[in-house]
Amino acid sequence: VVSTQSTGEVARFQAMGIQTEVVEISEKGPIPIIKLNNAFRDVYGVFVVTNDVDPLLPMRREMEVGVKLAEMCERLQVKHVIYSAVDFVYRITGNRCSKYDGKGEIEYQMRGMGLPLTVLKLPLSYDYLVNTLLPTRQGSDYVFTGIVDSKLDFDAMNYGDIGPVVKLAFERPNIFIGKTIGLTVDRIDISKFLKHIQEIFKERKLTWRYEKLSWKEYQKDKKNNRELATLLDFHCNYAPLRDVRTMQALNPNVQTFSEYVCANQKRLTKLFKLVTPT
């Protein structure tokens, strides 16, 4: 497997016994064609993914890199390409979402090339939610502000759980090549998100709440995270339904959101800048 992922992601694959090579592609500058060509030569499969937590490449750069990787897979006759994809928000809803649309265009190009392709459609990631829905301290309260009011739930998962699925797909190409598989682990809404946060920090006796806005109110304020609102609106109202049992069958050792929050308590304490009241 050749990866353009972070070292943390590569370590997960190496721990599963998958021979992995890393090729770093910077946000700017030329794509390292020679390094990629050497890395791709004689490999069995390529797992194409962009990191969901680190600052994302601009959409055009992401598309440039993704299409170039696909072209190299085609030219060097890679036997199995697995693409970590998301739903193409613009084609489904007409609303632009750079976080998703670049990946949608890459998938479209890959399909047009006729690559031996497996597409893994991912929902929202736990990391994206906790890194984006950050509370602010107002007196003794911790308040999640600027959130579009929605009682509908949406699919989410820990992207770290995808590794065993990729390994299984590479091991069973006759089953997985040509397939598009929608993955999910948990279904939560904003209230459940807050409830899980409250539960894990209950010993600190903190007060948590969130300020809800209607969609019209949200759109009026340019300070609000419109991309987050677009993603939540999409996943609540337009995203195809996914069956948790699919992911459980492919990887039984997945994390629910509650388990993720519990396992990352120290990191979230720092991320949320929590201070225990005296």
Side-chain angles (χ1 to χ4, degrees):
V1 179
V2 178
S3 175
T4 58
Q5 264 287 47
S6 65
T7 54
E9 293 298 320
V10 170
R12 290 194 184 102
F13 286 103
Q14 290 174 337
M16 290 184 287
I18 300 177
Q19 185 177 350
T20 308
E21 185 168 346
V22 181
V23 179
E24 293 185 5
I25 300 178
S26 62
E27 184 174 337
K28 298 179 181 180
I31 298 173
I33 300 297
I34 295 177
K35 286 185 179 180
L36 284 171
N37 190 75
N38 292 336
F40 278 42
R41 191 177 302 279
D42 299 325
V43 301
Y44 165 73
V46 176
F47 176 40
V48 181
V49 61
T50 53
N51 196 310
D52 187 69
V53 181
D54 294 341
L56 293 173
L57 298 174
M59 180 175 163
R60 288 189 179 181
R61 177 63 169 179
E62 183 178 20
M63 289 171 56
E64 178 189 9
V65 171
V67 172
K68 181 60 67 175
L69 292 175
E71 290 173 346
M72 296 193 76
C73 288
E74 180 183 38
R75 180 166 58 82
L76 296 174
Q77 298 182 333
V78 172
K79 295 178 176 63
H80 194 174
V81 179
I82 300 178
Y83 183 48
S84 175
V86 289
D87 293 299
F88 202 159
V89 173
Y90 178 68
R91 286 184 178 238
I92 296 173
T93 68
N95 297 320
R96 288 289 183 187
C97 179
S98 61
K99 181 176 175 63
Y100 275 26
D101 291 345
K103 296 173 180 61
E105 290 288 357
I106 293 168
E107 179 190 345
Y108 184 77
Q109 295 282 346
M110 286 181 168
R111 292 186 183 279
M113 294 176 187
L115 295 176
L117 186 65
T118 299
V119 177
L120 302 177
K121 294 272 189 179
L122 304 186
L124 284 171
S125 77
Y126 299 157
D127 282 336
Y128 176 75
L129 289 171
V130 299
N131 280 282
T132 307
L133 296 172
L134 295 173
T136 58
R137 191 178 179 190
Q138 298 182 10
S140 59
D141 295 357
Y142 285 86
V143 184
F144 293 91
T145 61
I147 297 176
V148 176
D149 186 18
S150 176
K151 296 180 181 178
L152 299 174
D153 54 7
F154 50 85
D155 288 304
M157 68 177 284
N158 180 358
Y159 280 11
D161 286 336
I162 196 177
V165 181
V166 174
K167 184 174 185 291
L168 185 63
F170 278 138
E171 291 173 345
R172 302 179 182 179
N174 58 317
I175 296 175
F176 285 90
I177 288 179
K179 298 288 177 57
T180 298
I181 304 171
L183 301 177
T184 187
V185 172
D186 208 347
R187 287 192 67 84
I188 61 174
D189 58 21
I190 296 301
S191 295
K192 291 177 183 176
F193 172 87
L194 184 57
K195 180 181 177 181
H196 290 313
I197 298 293
Q198 287 176 316
E199 180 65 23
I200 201 64
F201 292 113
K202 63 182 179 181
E203 292 183 0
R204 288 176 171 262
K205 298 180 180 179
L206 302 173
T207 302
W208 301 83
R209 57 188 173 88
Y210 74 95
E211 296 178 351
K212 298 176 288 186
L213 298 173
S214 69
W215 180 247
K216 288 184 179 180
E217 290 172 327
Y218 196 98
Q219 286 183 312
K220 288 179 182 179
D221 192 343
K222 294 183 179 180
K223 296 179 183 178
N224 291 322
N225 188 331
R226 294 196 175 193
E227 183 168 88
L228 172 62
T230 299
L231 285 176
L232 289 177
D233 177 59
F234 171 77
H235 282 285
C236 287
N237 298 297
Y238 300 98
L241 291 176
R242 299 176 186 188
D243 193 335
V244 173
R245 291 173 296 182
T246 300
M247 186 62 183
Q248 290 173 337
L250 298 172
N251 177 13
N253 302 312
V254 293
Q255 272 187 330
T256 64
F257 183 67
S258 177
E259 292 168 339
Y260 166 86
V261 172
C262 184
N264 289 274
Q265 186 173 354
K266 289 184 178 179
R267 183 169 72 87
L268 294 180
T269 298
K270 185 177 180 180
L271 183 66
F272 292 167
K273 300 178 182 178
L274 300 183
V275 178
T276 303
T278 56

